[in-house]
Amino acid sequence: MLQMMYPDEYLESTYQIDFEEMYNKGYRGVLFDIDNTLVPHGAPADERAIALFRRLKEIGFQTCLISNNKEPRVKSFCEQVGSSYIYKAGKPLPKGYLEGIRKMGIKKQNTIFVGDQIFTDVFGAKRAEVYTILVKPIHPKEEIQIVLKRYLEKIVLFFYFRHEKKKRVEK
């Protein structure tokens, strides 16, 4: 059960992902969380995020942002980066992820999800059967309910790292 919360990859930052390699592996769409995945919580799209989405389009990726936020927040960010979006996505329910995949016109087997939270982002993407990349939060300032979840995430990450180490030893 705990393994349903393990990401397929864990990286320092969204901006470290080798999207060219992912494209060469057959992935064609990327679903993103916004807050603390692409920019600090509540921030508008910055130059780094805009450049990332430009690069993804050049590679050939479709993109869609999946957020539990209200439409004004999500729409304004997506207009800046030029991406489709799902607001009030209901993460960790799989419905928003699957709707994003349909919007991109691809299959879930060819989709990557990138987010910063285990209990909403990763768990929901796993339920939707999508490849998951967990990234460290960009900024420590977060809403209180997220701060509380971060303590529980540390427990899950402890077991995740132990699991990953065991896999490497067995190879």
Side-chain angles (χ1 to χ4, degrees):
M1 174 62 183
L2 197 57
Q3 291 184 350
M4 275 297 288
M5 295 189 202
Y6 292 172
D8 294 299
E9 288 185 54
Y10 180 64
L11 298 171
E12 289 288 318
S13 167
T14 300
Y15 301 97
Q16 284 185 331
I17 299 169
D18 187 342
F19 286 105
E20 288 81 4
E21 179 185 334
M22 299 306 282
Y23 192 86
N24 290 336
K25 287 181 177 180
Y27 293 100
R28 297 297 181 260
V30 187
L31 300 170
F32 285 100
D33 175 52
I34 300 172
D35 290 323
N36 260 343
T37 298
L38 293 166
V39 294
H41 187 80
D46 58 17
E47 281 304 314
R48 188 167 69 158
I50 293 166
L52 173 64
F53 279 80
R54 191 177 314 121
R55 185 173 132 230
L56 290 169
K57 285 182 179 77
E58 289 169 3
I59 295 169
F61 276 107
Q62 298 294 316
T63 61
C64 185
L65 284 84
I66 308 294
S67 177
N68 285 345
N69 268 309
K70 295 177 183 169
E71 188 173 24
R73 162 70 177 138
V74 181
K75 182 179 180 182
S76 67
F77 189 93
C78 291
E79 286 173 348
Q80 292 177 293
V81 298
S83 181
S84 60
Y85 63 90
I86 308 294
Y87 67 96
K88 288 190 177 180
K91 296 184 293 184
L93 297 174
K95 181 183 171 211
Y97 299 84
L98 299 174
E99 188 179 335
I101 292 166
R102 277 191 299 278
K103 274 191 174 193
M104 293 189 296
I106 58 173
K107 297 178 180 174
K108 61 184 171 184
Q109 304 90 290
N110 304 103
T111 304
I112 303 163
F113 179 83
V114 182
D116 71 298
Q117 292 187 57
I118 290 174
F119 296 112
T120 52
D121 297 333
V122 172
F123 185 52
K126 287 287 191 178
R127 292 174 73 191
E129 301 175 337
V130 171
Y131 188 87
T132 59
I133 300 176
L134 177 67
V135 296
K136 286 188 176 178
I138 289 175
H139 195 275
K141 181 179 179 267
E142 297 181 298
E143 297 172 344
I144 188 67
Q145 71 271 19
I146 296 171
V147 171
L148 297 173
K149 283 192 267 182
R150 294 288 183 206
Y151 289 108
L152 297 173
E153 284 184 356
K154 286 179 183 179
I155 296 167
V156 175
L157 286 172
F158 170 81
F159 288 104
Y160 166 75
F161 289 127
R162 200 164 102 182
H163 173 77
E164 290 298 301
K165 183 177 180 182
K166 185 178 177 185
K167 278 185 3 188
R168 283 192 297 276
V169 169
E170 291 173 353
K171 284 186 182 180

